[in-house]
Amino acid sequence: MALTPLLPQSGSGTRSFFLGQLGLTESTFGACVDDTVQEHNGEALDSAGDIAPYSVAQYIAQSNEPGDVVDRRGAAVLGSVNGVAPRNANGTLNTAFPFNRDVYNVVPTAKLTDPTIAAAFVGSTSKVCAQNGVIATYGFGTIANCGSTDLRGES
């Protein structure tokens, strides 16, 4: 079967991440690629052989009840990379999957000392870090340094 590569629309974070994982750039993917599909929309996979990057987190979130996230998986099926599945047997994110993308809670540095902000985001016992079930429901994994404020951008 011939494959038809699809790539999310220009400006998509999933597009940039996927191209980077493959060692490609905006100017190096082939002319055979349809790069006009909406990211995280498996309904675009409408012909045999269609293949596209899809956020594992979005796939998991779209599959969960009660349906807080619109299910647009359509015909999408997540594939393994080098024999590593993107999901665990229970449907949660497999953090050993080779295409993992870090996400962050962004808080202004000056607000980190605010008691409400600190309780919500700072330290491993913060309210955000204590929500493992919610984190998994939306397709994310937890990390050992949850609540760390070591990584900072512009102040």
Side-chain angles (χ1 to χ4, degrees):
M1 168 185 348
L3 295 179
T4 306
L6 306 174
L7 192 61
Q9 77 284 358
S10 181
S12 155
T14 299
R15 174 185 176 128
S16 297
F17 177 76
F18 185 71
L19 288 174
Q21 292 297 299
L22 297 179
L24 298 172
T25 66
E26 289 293 332
S27 61
T28 59
F29 66 84
C32 65
V33 176
D34 175 352
D35 68 337
T36 62
V37 299
Q38 178 65 39
E39 68 182 341
H40 320 310
N41 187 353
E43 295 165 353
L45 304 172
D46 58 7
S47 300
D50 285 354
I51 185 169
Y54 206 103
S55 164
V56 179
Q58 274 290 318
Y59 189 92
I60 292 169
Q62 290 176 21
S63 71
N64 283 325
E65 294 298 328
D68 293 333
V69 177
V70 176
D71 185 354
R72 298 181 301 164
R73 291 174 298 150
V77 176
L78 298 178
S80 297
V81 173
N82 295 328
V84 180
R87 296 186 301 158
N88 297 312
N90 66 359
T92 60
L93 175 71
N94 179 0
T95 57
F97 189 64
F99 287 7
N100 275 329
R101 182 176 175 194
D102 290 339
V103 294
Y104 302 91
N105 292 306
V106 178
V107 177
T109 301
K111 299 268 185 185
L112 291 174
T113 56
D114 177 289
T116 302
I117 298 295
F121 298 106
V122 178
S124 61
T125 59
S126 66
K127 291 179 181 180
V128 167
C129 296
Q131 296 299 316
N132 291 332
V134 174
I135 291 168
T137 296
Y138 286 93
F140 298 100
T142 55
I143 55 175
N145 65 342
C146 184
S148 170
T149 59
D150 292 341
L151 182 61
R152 296 180 183 211
E154 298 176 14
S155 295

